[in-house]
Amino acid sequence: MEDTVQASAAALDLIKNEQVSAIIGPRTSMQADFMIKLANKTQVPTITFSATSPLLTSIKSPYFVRATIDDSSQVRAIASIFKFFRWRRVVAIYVDNEFGEGFMPFLFDALQDVDVKRSVIPPEAIDDEIQKELYKLMERQVRVFVVHMDSSLALRVFQKAREIGMMEEGYVWLMTNGMTHMVRHIDHGHSLNTIEGVLGVRSHVPESKELEDFRLRWKRTFKKENPSMRDDLNVFALWAYDSITALAKAVEKTNTKSLRYDNGSTLSKNRTDLGNLGVSLYGPSLQKALSEVRFNGMAGEFKLIDGQLQSPKFEIINFVGNKERTIGFWTPRDGLMDESSNKTNLGPVIWPGKSKVVPKGWEIPGKKLRVGVPMKKGFFDFVKVTVDPITNKKTPTGYAIEIFEAALRELPYLVIPEYVSFETPNDYNNLVYQVYNKTWDAVVGDVTITANRSLYVDFTLPYTESGVSMMVPVRDNESKNTWVFLEPWSLELWVTTGCFFLFIGFVVWLFEHRVNTDFRGPPHYQIGTSLWFSFSTMVFAHREKVVSSLARFVVVVWCFVVLVLTQSYTASLTSFLTVQSLQPTVTNVNDLIKNRDYVGYQGGAFVKDILLGQGFHENQLNPFYSAKEADDLLSNGTIAAAFDEVAYLKAILSQSCSKYVMVEPTFKTAGFGFAFPKNSPLTGEFSRAILNLTQKNVTQEIESKWFPKKNDCLDPKTALSSNRLSLSSFLGLFLIVGIAIFFSLLVFVALFLYEHRHTLADDSEDSLWRKVKILFKIFDEKDMNSHTFKNNAIHTMTPSPSTVQITTPWPQSPSQNREIELRRVSFSPSEERFTMQPIHHEDRESDIECRIEQ
């Protein structure tokens, strides 16, 4: 098992419950500590073929057999390599566990004449932790590294080292025995490309007829049993096979009649009690026979000395491409030997970066970058290259350079830039191409990130505001337009609001006509009253009393909408009258195209392609190469507008902000960025550095330094092109009032039809149209069942028993003149009842007669 605790528990179970005579294991050095003590206590021989830590030797136990090579046996071979190449400094990178820590003391002893530094990698380290540790190593002068850890973790270390540039010329990497054996078995051998130029030390496995036959048998058997898997017959597999063979030979030499334990393990019912473990009676004889076994195994001669194998020979390996090249051997007697001449020599080495020059092992810390910068005709605030007349040294300055150098200081390691100027001004595509063809390591300047350029290089995150905008002159707008009060709202909003005023007047009249005297009378009177009521809600000056519940509901909702509309109108009008004292001469690109006005753009930039794509003719386009040229062209009226990236326009506005302003539209672009080769790790590092600078407000401070704003400057972010409120801003409000009116109308119609359902249900032969006319006539009449008219009738009555005719004081309907006859009718001394009945006259269809009877 891989887990140390589980492996220990499994070994305990084998001894206590299965009472085995021997154990093959443990697999790792971390598992071995407990199992060695367990084997010594129970006298059960425990054989390992893969636990290589030298610390295990210090745990004295005759029952622990190491059928593999102790890691300490290779340190003399490593020391010979250092002596051969005359390296005096090294960093030992090892895993933080027993496997790594057990190796370090022996390496220090072997490299007494070498300055050895430590670098520890946790066994569970993630890629970011590995990368952080490697960055620390880059800052040191040492360029020689010895790596000792398990092969899978080591491969990740090499992958990260290659990503950040530590597998280039000048670096030396050396792997220890176990890693050198196993690395070709990881990832089906594809990992060898990752470690190109690395040296390795590994124990020598001699070729033999038996080994060749065994490999063929193994391959055939493995493929038959596991057709979908790849056979990995590594040196640990050979040691495992030799361990089984040695154990079998030892068993054949012993008497197997005493394969039992003493009865100590049966006295306790606790199956995990270490104090009651039995002792193998067969173990001592098996251990003695095992120590005497001698034979030529698959991995070489099997001969135990002090309970472990010895390696008489080590190979020195150089990984080139996807191949392993043996460049020499090391033996305890002869030291380093060339494979061909048997002299103290090594074969030719291909170092990292495919260099054939032996690295000196150290260099001044810092990564030197050849950084290309553009030579410009103008806009020198971004990049300006000055030449020293005496030394002829070129020194770049400017906003872009200062941002780049601030990002350099954010990196976790030192990078030294070497600036090179590009002599062709304003040819930015060719400038970027110099990174693609590896002339330079990076390009720094006012380089715009475009899709075409990103095909050849990788860009960092932009360090400027993105977009291409339009800059136009401003004119004084002191004399306001006569109709300026109409400006705050768009035409659609004016029309919609007016329609709703009319509609609200109609709806309120509809609800109030039968129950409210204020909404009755001649047609012109009713129309005037409805319009007056509706439009007076705009200033909340309506005086008519609303008695219908439905009308009240609609009026409340509408008054809320009117409140929002009036407040928004007031705020917008205030903005038009007080804020915008200056107005742009042009606010629409389409007007420029339609009027065939001349416009300007920065020469050599991609902005020209954008303008042509918008519909400008080429004869309308005038290039400029500096802020002064743009100012001159706009001032003398040669061009009506200047198009450029926002960063350039800000540079112009910082000098002439009282004369010009940026207006919409803004064409989307990615802004300025630094260019690096494809898949360069510096791209991500500089992007993170730019983010850090932005969060710390450093970029804003640098921008303010190079492009200071004057006090009389307009805010370039102010949207001067349009401040009108549109219909879309209030669609929600109109939707609310519309829904309220709709449901109120549904309720009104339903109640009216229900009240006069008998008219509709009349079985007479009247046509439908006749019934509709009757309903309209009923609608035009007063609703005497309304509480409004009941109250009026009661308050106008007198106690006389005679019938009194009263002419109503409210405006009369043009189709009817009504009188009320009041009679009191009494049926008993305690009961009175009021009744209303129509009085019929020849010239009137119906009047109301109210009788009081006793």
Side-chain angles (χ1 to χ4, degrees):
M1 297 183 180
E2 295 290 344
D3 183 76
T4 301
V5 176
Q6 291 180 341
S8 301
L12 182 64
D13 179 71
L14 289 172
I15 292 174
K16 184 175 179 61
N17 301 318
E18 302 295 335
Q19 295 190 350
V20 297
S21 298
I23 292 177
I24 302 295
R27 291 182 59 184
T28 67
S29 300
M30 286 71 72
Q31 299 171 356
D33 188 10
F34 172 81
M35 294 179 66
I36 292 174
K37 298 174 183 178
L38 185 65
N40 193 52
K41 181 179 180 63
T42 59
Q43 296 183 2
V44 175
T46 300
I47 307 172
T48 180
F49 55 85
S50 55
T52 59
S53 174
L55 288 179
L56 302 180
T57 306
S58 62
I59 307 176
K60 300 296 184 180
S61 174
Y63 295 95
F64 178 71
V65 178
R66 180 154 34 193
T68 184
I69 304 299
D70 184 345
D71 280 336
S72 63
S73 60
Q74 63 183 310
V75 295
R76 292 175 59 194
I78 295 174
S80 297
I81 296 174
F82 273 78
K83 184 178 180 180
F84 179 82
F85 290 112
R86 300 180 181 180
W87 295 322
R88 293 292 179 263
R89 298 177 181 178
V90 65
V91 175
I93 307 175
Y94 62 95
V95 64
D96 189 15
N97 57 24
E98 293 88 343
F99 174 71
E101 294 170 353
F103 177 72
M104 285 301 107
F106 296 90
L107 182 65
F108 274 74
D109 289 343
L111 299 176
Q112 292 182 357
D113 297 330
V114 180
D115 182 13
V116 183
K117 302 296 182 183
R118 298 171 180 258
S119 176
V120 182
I121 304 292
E124 302 87 7
I126 60 177
D127 289 348
D128 287 344
E129 293 175 325
I130 295 174
Q131 182 172 283
K132 184 178 180 180
E133 184 64 23
L134 292 177
Y135 277 145
K136 294 179 181 179
L137 299 180
M138 288 185 71
E139 297 178 358
R140 302 180 180 179
Q141 294 186 1
V142 184
R143 290 295 178 264
V144 182
F145 306 98
V146 173
V147 183
H148 181 73
M149 57 187 66
D150 66 271
S151 53
S152 59
L153 179 60
L155 181 61
R156 292 168 55 205
V157 171
F158 283 118
Q159 289 172 342
K160 284 298 172 184
R162 180 171 294 279
E163 289 179 8
I164 66 175
M166 294 183 68
M167 298 290 289
E168 298 176 358
E169 184 177 357
Y171 284 88
V172 177
W173 293 86
L174 192 149
M175 297 190 302
T176 55
N177 178 44
M179 295 166 50
T180 308
H181 273 296
M182 291 298 298
V183 70
R184 61 178 171 177
H185 299 286
I186 300 176
D187 195 21
H188 301 287
H190 299 302
S191 57
L192 295 181
N193 293 320
T194 304
I195 58 173
E196 185 174 20
V198 175
L199 297 181
V201 175
R202 71 183 182 193
S203 56
H204 177 63
V205 178
E207 294 293 333
S208 64
K209 183 67 169 56
E210 290 78 7
L211 178 58
E212 182 178 356
D213 293 340
F214 175 74
R215 283 174 174 165
L216 291 174
R217 297 198 311 273
W218 168 261
K219 187 175 183 179
R220 183 168 54 250
T221 304
F222 187 89
K223 188 174 182 180
K224 182 179 180 181
E225 297 178 356
N226 306 276
S228 61
M229 297 179 62
R230 178 177 179 267
D231 64 302
D232 269 332
L233 191 61
N234 54 59
V235 69
F236 294 101
L238 300 180
W239 282 331
Y241 187 88
D242 289 346
S243 300
I244 303 294
T245 303
L247 182 59
K249 289 181 178 293
V251 170
E252 290 177 347
K253 294 181 179 180
T254 58
N255 183 1
T256 58
K257 294 182 180 180
S258 59
L259 298 178
R260 63 182 180 85
Y261 281 45
D262 67 0
N263 56 3
S265 62
T266 62
L267 297 177
S268 175
K269 295 181 180 181
N270 188 348
R271 297 172 63 89
T272 61
D273 188 359
L274 295 176
N276 295 319
L277 287 175
V279 177
S280 173
L281 301 178
Y282 177 65
S285 59
L286 180 61
Q287 183 273 332
K288 184 175 184 300
L290 190 60
S291 63
E292 296 173 352
V293 170
R294 305 283 189 278
F295 66 97
N296 289 325
M298 298 300 168
E301 182 183 12
F302 189 93
K303 179 181 178 181
L304 297 176
I305 300 177
D306 295 331
Q308 64 183 25
L309 288 181
Q310 303 296 316
S311 178
K313 194 174 185 179
F314 283 91
E315 299 175 357
I316 313 301
I317 304 298
N318 181 210
F319 294 90
V320 180
N322 59 354
K323 296 182 180 180
E324 303 172 349
R325 294 175 57 246
T326 302
I327 59 173
F329 298 89
W330 180 90
T331 63
R333 188 187 67 178
D334 300 321
L336 286 179
M337 296 183 300
D338 188 359
E339 187 176 16
S340 57
S341 61
N342 291 331
K343 297 180 180 179
T344 304
N345 195 9
L346 289 175
V349 179
I350 304 298
W351 302 99
K354 297 183 179 180
S355 172
K356 296 182 180 181
V357 179
V358 178
K360 59 183 179 181
W362 64 273
E363 68 179 26
I364 298 175
K367 179 178 175 61
K368 296 180 180 180
L369 284 179
R370 283 180 58 83
V371 180
V373 294
M375 292 286 288
K376 297 180 66 64
K377 292 182 179 181
F379 293 100
F380 295 119
D381 289 333
F382 288 95
V383 178
K384 182 179 181 181
V385 180
T386 57
V387 182
D388 191 309
I390 299 176
T391 62
N392 204 32
K393 181 181 179 181
K394 297 179 180 179
T395 304
T397 57
Y399 170 67
I401 301 299
E402 191 162 340
I403 291 289
F404 178 73
E405 293 182 347
L408 285 176
R409 293 189 289 272
E410 291 289 320
L411 298 181
Y413 51 87
L414 181 62
V415 175
I416 302 174
E418 180 183 344
Y419 295 107
V420 183
S421 63
F422 188 62
E423 302 300 331
T424 305
N426 297 98
D427 189 1
Y428 282 79
N429 288 334
N430 197 12
L431 174 70
V432 171
Y433 193 76
Q434 303 305 310
V435 177
Y436 175 73
N437 61 22
K438 299 183 179 179
T439 302
W440 300 329
D441 299 319
V443 164
V444 173
D446 49 344
V447 181
T448 304
I449 304 170
T450 65
N452 181 61
R453 293 170 184 171
S454 63
L455 296 175
Y456 302 96
V457 296
D458 283 343
F459 284 97
T460 62
L461 291 176
Y463 61 89
T464 62
E465 188 176 348
S466 61
V468 172
S469 191
M470 178 173 68
M471 184 180 70
V472 298
V474 293
R475 64 171 180 265
D476 193 358
N477 197 31
E478 292 293 339
S479 56
K480 302 298 179 181
N481 192 300
T482 304
W483 302 99
V484 69
F485 68 90
L486 296 176
E487 294 295 327
W489 285 2
S490 65
L491 178 61
E492 296 86 352
L493 183 55
W494 279 115
V495 172
T496 304
T497 305
C499 291
F500 263 87
F501 271 113
L502 296 176
F503 189 43
I504 289 295
F506 167 74
V507 171
V508 172
W509 171 83
L510 188 68
F511 293 162
E512 294 291 308
H513 178 66
R514 302 186 69 229
V515 297
N516 193 338
T517 58
D518 289 340
F519 290 87
R520 300 187 62 81
H524 66 276
Y525 179 84
Q526 296 183 50
I527 294 174
T529 301
S530 299
L531 293 178
W532 158 256
F533 177 86
S534 176
F535 282 96
S536 62
T537 59
M538 184 164 45
V539 291
F540 305 101
H542 48 284
R543 294 177 297 177
E544 288 74 16
K545 184 179 179 181
V546 180
V547 298
S548 169
S549 298
L550 292 176
R552 289 176 177 178
F553 171 68
V554 171
V555 170
V556 167
V557 175
W558 175 245
C559 285
F560 169 73
V561 174
V562 169
L563 175 64
V564 175
L565 289 172
T566 54
Q567 294 296 323
S568 302
Y569 174 83
T570 303
S572 184
L573 182 61
T574 303
S575 173
F576 269 88
L577 294 176
T578 61
V579 176
Q580 297 182 20
S581 60
L582 293 176
Q583 287 291 326
T585 55
V586 181
T587 60
N588 196 318
V589 176
N590 294 328
D591 291 340
L592 294 172
I593 300 173
K594 180 180 179 181
N595 299 332
R596 301 188 63 83
D597 290 327
Y598 292 98
V599 297
Y601 68 96
Q602 186 179 172
F606 66 96
V607 179
K608 180 179 179 181
D609 297 331
I610 294 179
L611 296 178
L612 293 175
Q614 290 296 313
F616 284 96
H617 294 285
E618 189 153 359
N619 57 7
Q620 291 179 256
L621 308 180
N622 287 338
F624 57 83
Y625 296 93
S626 66
K628 186 178 183 306
E629 288 187 35
D631 184 21
D632 292 341
L633 291 173
L634 287 167
S635 298
N636 59 30
T638 303
I639 59 175
F643 289 86
D644 211 337
E645 292 189 77
V646 172
Y648 292 119
L649 297 182
K650 280 187 173 183
I652 299 174
L653 290 172
S654 67
Q655 304 297 324
S656 308
C657 57
S658 60
K659 299 165 59 178
Y660 310 110
V661 69
M662 279 193 293
V663 296
E664 295 180 353
T666 297
F667 305 104
K668 295 298 183 181
T669 60
F672 296 163
F674 305 135
F676 291 94
K678 280 287 187 181
N679 302 318
S680 171
L682 291 176
T683 307
E685 293 298 321
F686 271 87
S687 294
R688 281 186 285 270
I690 291 171
L691 285 177
N692 289 335
L693 294 176
T694 304
Q695 293 173 358
K696 296 176 182 177
N697 209 33
V698 176
T699 53
Q700 185 61 44
E701 294 175 359
I702 297 175
E703 181 179 335
S704 300
K705 171 186 174 182
W706 288 95
F707 310 109
K709 291 183 179 180
K710 297 182 180 179
N711 294 331
D712 58 345
C713 288
L714 293 172
D715 185 0
K717 295 182 180 179
T718 302
L720 294 176
S721 59
S722 176
N723 281 326
R724 285 188 170 187
L725 296 174
S726 63
L727 177 61
S728 60
S729 305
F730 302 99
L731 274 180
L733 288 174
F734 288 120
L735 182 62
I736 291 173
V737 71
I739 293 175
I741 293 172
F742 175 75
F743 281 105
S744 300
L745 287 173
L746 284 181
V747 173
F748 176 79
V749 172
L751 292 176
F752 181 76
L753 294 178
Y754 179 78
E755 182 181 356
H756 301 284
R757 61 189 181 279
H758 300 294
T759 302
L760 295 175
D762 189 2
D763 294 334
S764 63
E765 297 181 355
D766 292 341
S767 64
L768 179 61
W769 175 245
R770 173 64 178 171
K771 293 180 180 180
V772 172
K773 288 180 65 177
I774 294 173
L775 290 177
F776 272 107
K777 177 181 285 189
I778 294 174
F779 172 76
D780 196 37
E781 296 173 352
K782 296 178 182 178
D783 184 3
M784 301 310 299
N785 292 324
S786 169
H787 67 282
T788 306
F789 296 122
K790 284 183 178 181
N791 292 337
N792 290 339
I794 293 173
H795 291 309
T796 56
M797 289 188 303
T798 63
S800 174
S802 59
T803 298
V804 181
Q805 291 187 354
I806 301 174
T807 302
T808 56
W810 53 78
Q812 300 299 312
S813 170
S815 61
Q816 298 178 11
N817 290 315
R818 293 190 177 88
E819 294 177 349
I820 295 179
E821 181 180 0
L822 303 178
R823 294 181 182 176
R824 180 163 52 189
V825 182
S826 176
F827 295 93
S828 66
S830 62
E831 180 180 359
E832 287 187 341
R833 184 178 65 180
F834 296 92
T835 62
M836 290 187 180
Q837 296 180 0
I839 300 176
H840 296 279
H841 298 274
E842 295 180 357
D843 57 340
R844 302 175 184 175
E845 291 187 27
S846 66
D847 284 329
I848 303 297
E849 180 183 24
C850 180
R851 292 187 177 86
I852 303 173
E853 301 176 354
Q854 287 188 345

